[in-house]
PDB file of all heavy atoms in Angstrom:
ATOM      1  N   ALA A   1     -30.380  31.059 -64.842  1.00 91.00           N
ATOM      2  CA  ALA A   1     -29.144  31.809 -65.074  1.00 91.00           C
ATOM      3  C   ALA A   1     -29.394  33.002 -65.988  1.00 91.00           C
ATOM      4  O   ALA A   1     -28.844  34.093 -65.773  1.00 91.00           O
ATOM      5  CB  ALA A   1     -28.086  30.891 -65.675  1.00 91.00           C
ATOM      6  N   LEU A   2     -30.212  32.820 -67.014  1.00 93.00           N
ATOM      7  CA  LEU A   2     -30.519  33.923 -67.923  1.00 93.00           C
ATOM      8  C   LEU A   2     -31.274  35.033 -67.211  1.00 93.00           C
ATOM      9  O   LEU A   2     -31.120  36.213 -67.543  1.00 93.00           O
ATOM     10  CB  LEU A   2     -31.340  33.405 -69.114  1.00 93.00           C
ATOM     11  CG  LEU A   2     -30.594  32.502 -70.101  1.00 93.00           C
ATOM     12  CD1 LEU A   2     -31.546  31.977 -71.168  1.00 93.00           C
ATOM     13  CD2 LEU A   2     -29.427  33.246 -70.742  1.00 93.00           C
ATOM     14  N   ARG A   3     -32.090  34.686 -66.220  1.00 92.00           N
ATOM     15  CA  ARG A   3     -32.808  35.697 -65.438  1.00 92.00           C
ATOM     16  C   ARG A   3     -31.908  36.340 -64.381  1.00 92.00           C
ATOM     17  O   ARG A   3     -32.285  37.335 -63.773  1.00 92.00           O
ATOM     18  CB  ARG A   3     -34.014  35.070 -64.717  1.00 92.00           C
ATOM     19  CG  ARG A   3     -35.103  34.554 -65.628  1.00 92.00           C
ATOM     20  CD  ARG A   3     -36.378  34.323 -64.812  1.00 92.00           C
ATOM     21  NE  ARG A   3     -36.125  33.542 -63.606  1.00 92.00           N
ATOM     22  CZ  ARG A   3     -36.295  32.231 -63.503  1.00 92.00           C
ATOM     23  NH1 ARG A   3     -36.714  31.535 -64.568  1.00 92.00           N
ATOM     24  NH2 ARG A   3     -36.060  31.600 -62.366  1.00 92.00           N
ATOM     25  N   GLY A   4     -30.744  35.739 -64.151  1.00 91.00           N
ATOM     26  CA  GLY A   4     -29.875  36.222 -63.086  1.00 91.00           C
ATOM     27  C   GLY A   4     -30.293  35.731 -61.717  1.00 91.00           C
ATOM     28  O   GLY A   4     -29.765  36.183 -60.698  1.00 91.00           O
ATOM     29  N   ASP A   5     -31.210  34.780 -61.689  1.00 91.00           N
ATOM     30  CA  ASP A   5     -31.732  34.246 -60.426  1.00 91.00           C
ATOM     31  C   ASP A   5     -30.986  32.961 -60.077  1.00 91.00           C
ATOM     32  O   ASP A   5     -31.564  31.864 -60.054  1.00 91.00           O
ATOM     33  CB  ASP A   5     -33.233  34.001 -60.559  1.00 91.00           C
ATOM     34  CG  ASP A   5     -33.870  33.548 -59.249  1.00 91.00           C
ATOM     35  OD1 ASP A   5     -33.222  33.732 -58.191  1.00 91.00           O
ATOM     36  OD2 ASP A   5     -34.989  33.007 -59.291  1.00 91.00           O
ATOM     37  N   PHE A   6     -29.709  33.090 -59.776  1.00 91.00           N
ATOM     38  CA  PHE A   6     -28.898  31.904 -59.510  1.00 91.00           C
ATOM     39  C   PHE A   6     -29.293  31.212 -58.206  1.00 91.00           C
ATOM     40  O   PHE A   6     -29.070  30.013 -58.052  1.00 91.00           O
ATOM     41  CB  PHE A   6     -27.411  32.282 -59.471  1.00 91.00           C
ATOM     42  CG  PHE A   6     -26.871  32.732 -60.791  1.00 91.00           C
ATOM     43  CD1 PHE A   6     -26.752  34.080 -61.083  1.00 91.00           C
ATOM     44  CD2 PHE A   6     -26.496  31.810 -61.745  1.00 91.00           C
ATOM     45  CE1 PHE A   6     -26.252  34.498 -62.307  1.00 91.00           C
ATOM     46  CE2 PHE A   6     -25.993  32.207 -62.976  1.00 91.00           C
ATOM     47  CZ  PHE A   6     -25.882  33.561 -63.257  1.00 91.00           C
ATOM     48  N   GLU A   7     -29.873  31.955 -57.287  1.00 88.00           N
ATOM     49  CA  GLU A   7     -30.269  31.340 -56.025  1.00 88.00           C
ATOM     50  C   GLU A   7     -31.402  30.342 -56.214  1.00 88.00           C
ATOM     51  O   GLU A   7     -31.636  29.502 -55.330  1.00 88.00           O
ATOM     52  CB  GLU A   7     -30.678  32.424 -55.034  1.00 88.00           C
ATOM     53  CG  GLU A   7     -29.509  33.285 -54.577  1.00 88.00           C
ATOM     54  CD  GLU A   7     -29.901  34.240 -53.472  1.00 88.00           C
ATOM     55  OE1 GLU A   7     -31.094  34.254 -53.099  1.00 88.00           O
ATOM     56  OE2 GLU A   7     -29.011  34.971 -52.970  1.00 88.00           O
ATOM     57  N   ALA A   8     -32.102  30.402 -57.353  1.00 90.00           N
ATOM     58  CA  ALA A   8     -33.150  29.422 -57.631  1.00 90.00           C
ATOM     59  C   ALA A   8     -32.570  28.019 -57.764  1.00 90.00           C
ATOM     60  O   ALA A   8     -33.286  27.018 -57.560  1.00 90.00           O
ATOM     61  CB  ALA A   8     -33.904  29.804 -58.908  1.00 90.00           C
ATOM     62  N   TRP A   9     -31.279  27.919 -58.094  1.00 89.00           N
ATOM     63  CA  TRP A   9     -30.643  26.606 -58.202  1.00 89.00           C
ATOM     64  C   TRP A   9     -30.740  25.839 -56.893  1.00 89.00           C
ATOM     65  O   TRP A   9     -30.819  24.603 -56.889  1.00 89.00           O
ATOM     66  CB  TRP A   9     -29.174  26.758 -58.586  1.00 89.00           C
ATOM     67  CG  TRP A   9     -28.949  27.282 -59.969  1.00 89.00           C
ATOM     68  CD1 TRP A   9     -29.906  27.646 -60.884  1.00 89.00           C
ATOM     69  CD2 TRP A   9     -27.687  27.520 -60.598  1.00 89.00           C
ATOM     70  NE1 TRP A   9     -29.314  28.089 -62.035  1.00 89.00           N
ATOM     71  CE2 TRP A   9     -27.958  28.021 -61.897  1.00 89.00           C
ATOM     72  CE3 TRP A   9     -26.376  27.366 -60.196  1.00 89.00           C
ATOM     73  CZ2 TRP A   9     -26.943  28.356 -62.792  1.00 89.00           C
ATOM     74  CZ3 TRP A   9     -25.365  27.698 -61.082  1.00 89.00           C
ATOM     75  CH2 TRP A   9     -25.638  28.189 -62.375  1.00 89.00           C
ATOM     76  N   ASN A  10     -30.740  26.548 -55.776  1.00 85.00           N
ATOM     77  CA  ASN A  10     -30.742  25.894 -54.471  1.00 85.00           C
ATOM     78  C   ASN A  10     -32.067  25.218 -54.139  1.00 85.00           C
ATOM     79  O   ASN A  10     -32.146  24.486 -53.144  1.00 85.00           O
ATOM     80  CB  ASN A  10     -30.399  26.907 -53.380  1.00 85.00           C
ATOM     81  CG  ASN A  10     -28.984  27.443 -53.521  1.00 85.00           C
ATOM     82  OD1 ASN A  10     -28.103  26.763 -54.043  1.00 85.00           O
ATOM     83  ND2 ASN A  10     -28.761  28.668 -53.073  1.00 85.00           N
ATOM     84  N   LYS A  11     -33.092  25.452 -54.951  1.00 86.00           N
ATOM     85  CA  LYS A  11     -34.364  24.770 -54.718  1.00 86.00           C
ATOM     86  C   LYS A  11     -34.237  23.266 -54.936  1.00 86.00           C
ATOM     87  O   LYS A  11     -34.944  22.481 -54.301  1.00 86.00           O
ATOM     88  CB  LYS A  11     -35.440  25.330 -55.643  1.00 86.00           C
ATOM     89  CG  LYS A  11     -35.800  26.782 -55.372  1.00 86.00           C
ATOM     90  CD  LYS A  11     -36.859  27.271 -56.345  1.00 86.00           C
ATOM     91  CE  LYS A  11     -37.214  28.740 -56.096  1.00 86.00           C
ATOM     92  NZ  LYS A  11     -38.225  29.229 -57.067  1.00 86.00           N
ATOM     93  N   VAL A  12     -33.360  22.875 -55.851  1.00 84.00           N
ATOM     94  CA  VAL A  12     -33.188  21.443 -56.136  1.00 84.00           C
ATOM     95  C   VAL A  12     -31.754  20.978 -55.910  1.00 84.00           C
ATOM     96  O   VAL A  12     -31.488  19.784 -55.900  1.00 84.00           O
ATOM     97  CB  VAL A  12     -33.606  21.131 -57.594  1.00 84.00           C
ATOM     98  CG1 VAL A  12     -35.081  21.378 -57.796  1.00 84.00           C
ATOM     99  CG2 VAL A  12     -32.791  21.945 -58.584  1.00 84.00           C
ATOM    100  N   LEU A  13     -30.834  21.918 -55.728  1.00 82.00           N
ATOM    101  CA  LEU A  13     -29.423  21.576 -55.530  1.00 82.00           C
ATOM    102  C   LEU A  13     -28.923  22.280 -54.274  1.00 82.00           C
ATOM    103  O   LEU A  13     -28.502  23.443 -54.338  1.00 82.00           O
ATOM    104  CB  LEU A  13     -28.584  21.996 -56.748  1.00 82.00           C
ATOM    105  CG  LEU A  13     -27.135  21.538 -56.784  1.00 82.00           C
ATOM    106  CD1 LEU A  13     -27.062  20.015 -56.851  1.00 82.00           C
ATOM    107  CD2 LEU A  13     -26.414  22.153 -57.983  1.00 82.00           C
ATOM    108  N   PRO A  14     -29.005  21.612 -53.122  1.00 76.00           N
ATOM    109  CA  PRO A  14     -28.582  22.262 -51.868  1.00 76.00           C
ATOM    110  C   PRO A  14     -27.142  22.756 -51.951  1.00 76.00           C
ATOM    111  O   PRO A  14     -26.257  22.054 -52.437  1.00 76.00           O
ATOM    112  CB  PRO A  14     -28.728  21.140 -50.832  1.00 76.00           C
ATOM    113  CG  PRO A  14     -29.739  20.202 -51.427  1.00 76.00           C
ATOM    114  CD  PRO A  14     -29.509  20.256 -52.904  1.00 76.00           C
ATOM    115  N   HIS A  15     -26.931  23.982 -51.498  1.00 73.00           N
ATOM    116  CA  HIS A  15     -25.610  24.610 -51.514  1.00 73.00           C
ATOM    117  C   HIS A  15     -25.063  24.722 -52.941  1.00 73.00           C
ATOM    118  O   HIS A  15     -23.851  24.737 -53.151  1.00 73.00           O
ATOM    119  CB  HIS A  15     -24.610  23.836 -50.643  1.00 73.00           C
ATOM    120  CG  HIS A  15     -25.122  23.499 -49.281  1.00 73.00           C
ATOM    121  ND1 HIS A  15     -25.314  24.437 -48.290  1.00 73.00           N
ATOM    122  CD2 HIS A  15     -25.519  22.303 -48.737  1.00 73.00           C
ATOM    123  CE1 HIS A  15     -25.786  23.853 -47.207  1.00 73.00           C
ATOM    124  NE2 HIS A  15     -25.925  22.567 -47.451  1.00 73.00           N
ATOM    125  N   GLY A  16     -25.980  24.791 -53.919  1.00 81.00           N
ATOM    126  CA  GLY A  16     -25.539  24.910 -55.304  1.00 81.00           C
ATOM    127  C   GLY A  16     -24.934  26.268 -55.583  1.00 81.00           C
ATOM    128  O   GLY A  16     -23.775  26.377 -55.996  1.00 81.00           O
ATOM    129  N   TYR A  17     -25.706  27.314 -55.335  1.00 87.00           N
ATOM    130  CA  TYR A  17     -25.208  28.675 -55.525  1.00 87.00           C
ATOM    131  C   TYR A  17     -24.897  29.263 -54.163  1.00 87.00           C
ATOM    132  O   TYR A  17     -25.748  29.323 -53.274  1.00 87.00           O
ATOM    133  CB  TYR A  17     -26.234  29.529 -56.256  1.00 87.00           C
ATOM    134  CG  TYR A  17     -25.824  30.973 -56.377  1.00 87.00           C
ATOM    135  CD1 TYR A  17     -24.901  31.365 -57.332  1.00 87.00           C
ATOM    136  CD2 TYR A  17     -26.357  31.940 -55.525  1.00 87.00           C
ATOM    137  CE1 TYR A  17     -24.510  32.693 -57.442  1.00 87.00           C
ATOM    138  CE2 TYR A  17     -25.971  33.273 -55.618  1.00 87.00           C
ATOM    139  CZ  TYR A  17     -25.043  33.643 -56.587  1.00 87.00           C
ATOM    140  OH  TYR A  17     -24.656  34.952 -56.680  1.00 87.00           O
ATOM    141  N   VAL A  18     -23.657  29.721 -54.000  1.00 86.00           N
ATOM    142  CA  VAL A  18     -23.218  30.312 -52.741  1.00 86.00           C
ATOM    143  C   VAL A  18     -22.834  31.761 -53.010  1.00 86.00           C
ATOM    144  O   VAL A  18     -21.858  32.018 -53.731  1.00 86.00           O
ATOM    145  CB  VAL A  18     -22.023  29.545 -52.140  1.00 86.00           C
ATOM    146  CG1 VAL A  18     -21.562  30.205 -50.841  1.00 86.00           C
ATOM    147  CG2 VAL A  18     -22.383  28.086 -51.911  1.00 86.00           C
ATOM    148  N   PRO A  19     -23.584  32.739 -52.479  1.00 87.00           N
ATOM    149  CA  PRO A  19     -23.240  34.153 -52.697  1.00 87.00           C
ATOM    150  C   PRO A  19     -21.821  34.466 -52.248  1.00 87.00           C
ATOM    151  O   PRO A  19     -21.396  34.072 -51.163  1.00 87.00           O
ATOM    152  CB  PRO A  19     -24.276  34.900 -51.835  1.00 87.00           C
ATOM    153  CG  PRO A  19     -25.429  33.950 -51.719  1.00 87.00           C
ATOM    154  CD  PRO A  19     -24.815  32.579 -51.673  1.00 87.00           C
ATOM    155  N   GLY A  20     -21.091  35.132 -53.120  1.00 87.00           N
ATOM    156  CA  GLY A  20     -19.718  35.511 -52.801  1.00 87.00           C
ATOM    157  C   GLY A  20     -18.671  34.507 -53.237  1.00 87.00           C
ATOM    158  O   GLY A  20     -17.485  34.850 -53.332  1.00 87.00           O
ATOM    159  N   ASP A  21     -19.075  33.282 -53.514  1.00 84.00           N
ATOM    160  CA  ASP A  21     -18.118  32.242 -53.932  1.00 84.00           C
ATOM    161  C   ASP A  21     -18.073  32.214 -55.457  1.00 84.00           C
ATOM    162  O   ASP A  21     -18.644  31.336 -56.098  1.00 84.00           O
ATOM    163  CB  ASP A  21     -18.537  30.889 -53.363  1.00 84.00           C
ATOM    164  CG  ASP A  21     -17.516  29.797 -53.667  1.00 84.00           C
ATOM    165  OD1 ASP A  21     -16.417  30.125 -54.168  1.00 84.00           O
ATOM    166  OD2 ASP A  21     -17.834  28.608 -53.429  1.00 84.00           O
ATOM    167  N   THR A  22     -17.385  33.194 -56.024  1.00 87.00           N
ATOM    168  CA  THR A  22     -17.368  33.333 -57.484  1.00 87.00           C
ATOM    169  C   THR A  22     -16.771  32.110 -58.161  1.00 87.00           C
ATOM    170  O   THR A  22     -17.323  31.598 -59.147  1.00 87.00           O
ATOM    171  CB  THR A  22     -16.578  34.587 -57.890  1.00 87.00           C
ATOM    172  OG1 THR A  22     -17.145  35.733 -57.241  1.00 87.00           O
ATOM    173  CG2 THR A  22     -16.621  34.781 -59.398  1.00 87.00           C
ATOM    174  N   PHE A  23     -15.645  31.637 -57.635  1.00 86.00           N
ATOM    175  CA  PHE A  23     -14.977  30.491 -58.274  1.00 86.00           C
ATOM    176  C   PHE A  23     -15.848  29.237 -58.198  1.00 86.00           C
ATOM    177  O   PHE A  23     -16.038  28.537 -59.198  1.00 86.00           O
ATOM    178  CB  PHE A  23     -13.629  30.234 -57.595  1.00 86.00           C
ATOM    179  CG  PHE A  23     -12.922  29.007 -58.118  1.00 86.00           C
ATOM    180  CD1 PHE A  23     -12.316  29.013 -59.363  1.00 86.00           C
ATOM    181  CD2 PHE A  23     -12.874  27.834 -57.358  1.00 86.00           C
ATOM    182  CE1 PHE A  23     -11.681  27.884 -59.854  1.00 86.00           C
ATOM    183  CE2 PHE A  23     -12.237  26.705 -57.832  1.00 86.00           C
ATOM    184  CZ  PHE A  23     -11.636  26.725 -59.077  1.00 86.00           C
ATOM    185  N   GLY A  24     -16.386  28.954 -57.027  1.00 85.00           N
ATOM    186  CA  GLY A  24     -17.217  27.765 -56.871  1.00 85.00           C
ATOM    187  C   GLY A  24     -18.465  27.829 -57.720  1.00 85.00           C
ATOM    188  O   GLY A  24     -18.879  26.827 -58.325  1.00 85.00           O
ATOM    189  N   ASN A  25     -19.092  29.005 -57.814  1.00 85.00           N
ATOM    190  CA  ASN A  25     -20.284  29.165 -58.637  1.00 85.00           C
ATOM    191  C   ASN A  25     -19.956  28.991 -60.115  1.00 85.00           C
ATOM    192  O   ASN A  25     -20.746  28.434 -60.879  1.00 85.00           O
ATOM    193  CB  ASN A  25     -20.911  30.537 -58.395  1.00 85.00           C
ATOM    194  CG  ASN A  25     -21.450  30.686 -56.985  1.00 85.00           C
ATOM    195  OD1 ASN A  25     -21.854  29.710 -56.355  1.00 85.00           O
ATOM    196  ND2 ASN A  25     -21.449  31.910 -56.466  1.00 85.00           N
ATOM    197  N   LEU A  26     -18.779  29.492 -60.507  1.00 89.00           N
ATOM    198  CA  LEU A  26     -18.354  29.343 -61.896  1.00 89.00           C
ATOM    199  C   LEU A  26     -18.115  27.875 -62.239  1.00 89.00           C
ATOM    200  O   LEU A  26     -18.514  27.402 -63.308  1.00 89.00           O
ATOM    201  CB  LEU A  26     -17.079  30.155 -62.137  1.00 89.00           C
ATOM    202  CG  LEU A  26     -16.496  30.077 -63.560  1.00 89.00           C
ATOM    203  CD1 LEU A  26     -17.487  30.631 -64.573  1.00 89.00           C
ATOM    204  CD2 LEU A  26     -15.173  30.841 -63.635  1.00 89.00           C
ATOM    205  N   VAL A  27     -17.478  27.141 -61.318  1.00 85.00           N
ATOM    206  CA  VAL A  27     -17.237  25.709 -61.540  1.00 85.00           C
ATOM    207  C   VAL A  27     -18.564  24.970 -61.693  1.00 85.00           C
ATOM    208  O   VAL A  27     -18.720  24.127 -62.591  1.00 85.00           O
ATOM    209  CB  VAL A  27     -16.422  25.114 -60.375  1.00 85.00           C
ATOM    210  CG1 VAL A  27     -16.376  23.589 -60.480  1.00 85.00           C
ATOM    211  CG2 VAL A  27     -15.011  25.679 -60.384  1.00 85.00           C
ATOM    212  N   LEU A  28     -19.530  25.302 -60.846  1.00 87.00           N
ATOM    213  CA  LEU A  28     -20.834  24.652 -60.939  1.00 87.00           C
ATOM    214  C   LEU A  28     -21.522  24.994 -62.251  1.00 87.00           C
ATOM    215  O   LEU A  28     -22.099  24.118 -62.902  1.00 87.00           O
ATOM    216  CB  LEU A  28     -21.704  25.078 -59.761  1.00 87.00           C
ATOM    217  CG  LEU A  28     -23.146  24.550 -59.780  1.00 87.00           C
ATOM    218  CD1 LEU A  28     -23.170  23.030 -59.795  1.00 87.00           C
ATOM    219  CD2 LEU A  28     -23.932  25.095 -58.586  1.00 87.00           C
ATOM    220  N   GLY A  29     -21.472  26.262 -62.655  1.00 90.00           N
ATOM    221  CA  GLY A  29     -22.104  26.665 -63.908  1.00 90.00           C
ATOM    222  C   GLY A  29     -21.501  25.955 -65.109  1.00 90.00           C
ATOM    223  O   GLY A  29     -22.225  25.486 -65.997  1.00 90.00           O
ATOM    224  N   VAL A  30     -20.172  25.872 -65.133  1.00 88.00           N
ATOM    225  CA  VAL A  30     -19.505  25.156 -66.234  1.00 88.00           C
ATOM    226  C   VAL A  30     -19.869  23.681 -66.197  1.00 88.00           C
ATOM    227  O   VAL A  30     -20.098  23.050 -67.241  1.00 88.00           O
ATOM    228  CB  VAL A  30     -17.975  25.357 -66.132  1.00 88.00           C
ATOM    229  CG1 VAL A  30     -17.251  24.452 -67.128  1.00 88.00           C
ATOM    230  CG2 VAL A  30     -17.614  26.818 -66.380  1.00 88.00           C
ATOM    231  N   HIS A  31     -19.939  23.122 -65.006  1.00 86.00           N
ATOM    232  CA  HIS A  31     -20.296  21.710 -64.843  1.00 86.00           C
ATOM    233  C   HIS A  31     -21.685  21.443 -65.423  1.00 86.00           C
ATOM    234  O   HIS A  31     -21.890  20.464 -66.151  1.00 86.00           O
ATOM    235  CB  HIS A  31     -20.252  21.356 -63.356  1.00 86.00           C
ATOM    236  CG  HIS A  31     -20.427  19.900 -63.069  1.00 86.00           C
ATOM    237  ND1 HIS A  31     -19.394  18.993 -63.145  1.00 86.00           N
ATOM    238  CD2 HIS A  31     -21.528  19.189 -62.713  1.00 86.00           C
ATOM    239  CE1 HIS A  31     -19.839  17.791 -62.846  1.00 86.00           C
ATOM    240  NE2 HIS A  31     -21.136  17.879 -62.577  1.00 86.00           N
ATOM    241  N   LEU A  32     -22.642  22.309 -65.127  1.00 90.00           N
ATOM    242  CA  LEU A  32     -24.001  22.126 -65.630  1.00 90.00           C
ATOM    243  C   LEU A  32     -24.065  22.319 -67.143  1.00 90.00           C
ATOM    244  O   LEU A  32     -24.767  21.574 -67.850  1.00 90.00           O
ATOM    245  CB  LEU A  32     -24.940  23.114 -64.935  1.00 90.00           C
ATOM    246  CG  LEU A  32     -25.187  22.870 -63.441  1.00 90.00           C
ATOM    247  CD1 LEU A  32     -25.946  24.047 -62.834  1.00 90.00           C
ATOM    248  CD2 LEU A  32     -25.953  21.571 -63.234  1.00 90.00           C
ATOM    249  N   ALA A  33     -23.331  23.306 -67.651  1.00 90.00           N
ATOM    250  CA  ALA A  33     -23.336  23.553 -69.092  1.00 90.00           C
ATOM    251  C   ALA A  33     -22.766  22.363 -69.853  1.00 90.00           C
ATOM    252  O   ALA A  33     -23.316  21.932 -70.876  1.00 90.00           O
ATOM    253  CB  ALA A  33     -22.546  24.827 -69.406  1.00 90.00           C
ATOM    254  N   PHE A  34     -21.661  21.825 -69.351  1.00 89.00           N
ATOM    255  CA  PHE A  34     -21.046  20.696 -70.046  1.00 89.00           C
ATOM    256  C   PHE A  34     -21.822  19.401 -69.819  1.00 89.00           C
ATOM    257  O   PHE A  34     -21.647  18.442 -70.574  1.00 89.00           O
ATOM    258  CB  PHE A  34     -19.585  20.539 -69.620  1.00 89.00           C
ATOM    259  CG  PHE A  34     -18.649  21.393 -70.418  1.00 89.00           C
ATOM    260  CD1 PHE A  34     -18.341  22.686 -70.004  1.00 89.00           C
ATOM    261  CD2 PHE A  34     -18.106  20.936 -71.595  1.00 89.00           C
ATOM    262  CE1 PHE A  34     -17.497  23.484 -70.743  1.00 89.00           C
ATOM    263  CE2 PHE A  34     -17.257  21.717 -72.350  1.00 89.00           C
ATOM    264  CZ  PHE A  34     -16.950  23.003 -71.927  1.00 89.00           C
ATOM    265  N   ALA A  35     -22.677  19.376 -68.802  1.00 91.00           N
ATOM    266  CA  ALA A  35     -23.561  18.224 -68.649  1.00 91.00           C
ATOM    267  C   ALA A  35     -24.499  18.120 -69.838  1.00 91.00           C
ATOM    268  O   ALA A  35     -24.810  17.014 -70.323  1.00 91.00           O
ATOM    269  CB  ALA A  35     -24.361  18.343 -67.354  1.00 91.00           C
ATOM    270  N   ILE A  36     -24.943  19.250 -70.342  1.00 92.00           N
ATOM    271  CA  ILE A  36     -25.781  19.262 -71.541  1.00 92.00           C
ATOM    272  C   ILE A  36     -24.977  18.805 -72.752  1.00 92.00           C
ATOM    273  O   ILE A  36     -25.420  17.969 -73.548  1.00 92.00           O
ATOM    274  CB  ILE A  36     -26.351  20.675 -71.777  1.00 92.00           C
ATOM    275  CG1 ILE A  36     -27.245  21.084 -70.612  1.00 92.00           C
ATOM    276  CG2 ILE A  36     -27.120  20.739 -73.090  1.00 92.00           C
ATOM    277  CD1 ILE A  36     -27.757  22.505 -70.702  1.00 92.00           C
ATOM    278  N   VAL A  37     -23.773  19.352 -72.887  1.00 93.00           N
ATOM    279  CA  VAL A  37     -22.925  19.027 -74.037  1.00 93.00           C
ATOM    280  C   VAL A  37     -22.593  17.544 -74.070  1.00 93.00           C
ATOM    281  O   VAL A  37     -22.703  16.881 -75.108  1.00 93.00           O
ATOM    282  CB  VAL A  37     -21.622  19.860 -74.001  1.00 93.00           C
ATOM    283  CG1 VAL A  37     -20.657  19.411 -75.097  1.00 93.00           C
ATOM    284  CG2 VAL A  37     -21.941  21.345 -74.148  1.00 93.00           C
ATOM    285  N   ILE A  38     -22.220  17.006 -72.917  1.00 93.00           N
ATOM    286  CA  ILE A  38     -21.762  15.620 -72.897  1.00 93.00           C
ATOM    287  C   ILE A  38     -22.920  14.639 -73.058  1.00 93.00           C
ATOM    288  O   ILE A  38     -22.769  13.554 -73.636  1.00 93.00           O
ATOM    289  CB  ILE A  38     -20.964  15.338 -71.600  1.00 93.00           C
ATOM    290  CG1 ILE A  38     -20.070  14.107 -71.788  1.00 93.00           C
ATOM    291  CG2 ILE A  38     -21.889  15.135 -70.408  1.00 93.00           C
ATOM    292  CD1 ILE A  38     -19.077  13.916 -70.677  1.00 93.00           C
ATOM    293  N   THR A  39     -24.104  15.012 -72.568  1.00 93.00           N
ATOM    294  CA  THR A  39     -25.255  14.122 -72.711  1.00 93.00           C
ATOM    295  C   THR A  39     -25.684  14.035 -74.163  1.00 93.00           C
ATOM    296  O   THR A  39     -25.935  12.941 -74.690  1.00 93.00           O
ATOM    297  CB  THR A  39     -26.421  14.610 -71.838  1.00 93.00           C
ATOM    298  OG1 THR A  39     -25.976  14.695 -70.479  1.00 93.00           O
ATOM    299  CG2 THR A  39     -27.595  13.656 -71.916  1.00 93.00           C
ATOM    300  N   LEU A  40     -25.778  15.179 -74.829  1.00 93.00           N
ATOM    301  CA  LEU A  40     -26.125  15.176 -76.252  1.00 93.00           C
ATOM    302  C   LEU A  40     -25.015  14.527 -77.075  1.00 93.00           C
ATOM    303  O   LEU A  40     -25.286  13.746 -77.999  1.00 93.00           O
ATOM    304  CB  LEU A  40     -26.368  16.611 -76.728  1.00 93.00           C
ATOM    305  CG  LEU A  40     -27.591  17.325 -76.144  1.00 93.00           C
ATOM    306  CD1 LEU A  40     -27.638  18.770 -76.623  1.00 93.00           C
ATOM    307  CD2 LEU A  40     -28.870  16.603 -76.524  1.00 93.00           C
ATOM    308  N   GLY A  41     -23.775  14.847 -76.740  1.00 93.00           N
ATOM    309  CA  GLY A  41     -22.655  14.285 -77.485  1.00 93.00           C
ATOM    310  C   GLY A  41     -22.556  12.781 -77.358  1.00 93.00           C
ATOM    311  O   GLY A  41     -22.216  12.091 -78.322  1.00 93.00           O
ATOM    312  N   GLY A  42     -22.862  12.249 -76.171  1.00 93.00           N
ATOM    313  CA  GLY A  42     -22.805  10.805 -75.984  1.00 93.00           C
ATOM    314  C   GLY A  42     -23.819  10.079 -76.830  1.00 93.00           C
ATOM    315  O   GLY A  42     -23.525   9.031 -77.432  1.00 93.00           O
TER     316      GLY A  42
END
C-alpha cells in the first residue's frame, strides 16, 4: 500500500484489489488495518 502497488494484494488474496471499486477497496484496506489493531489489542 505504501508503494501504491495495491494490485500486489491479489497475489495472495484473490479479487482483493479491484480497479475502479473505490468503496470495496477502501473496505478491504480498513479491514486489513484493523486486523493489525485487533490482533495486537487482543
Side-chain angles (χ1 to χ4, degrees):
L2 290 176
R3 295 196 310 264
D5 185 17
F6 293 98
E7 292 187 358
W9 292 1
N10 295 332
K11 294 179 181 179
V12 295
L13 188 64
H15 312 289
Y17 175 78
V18 179
D21 185 9
T22 304
F23 176 74
N25 294 331
L26 179 62
V27 170
L28 176 59
V30 171
H31 187 82
L32 292 171
F34 274 90
I36 298 175
V37 173
I38 201 169
T39 303
L40 293 176

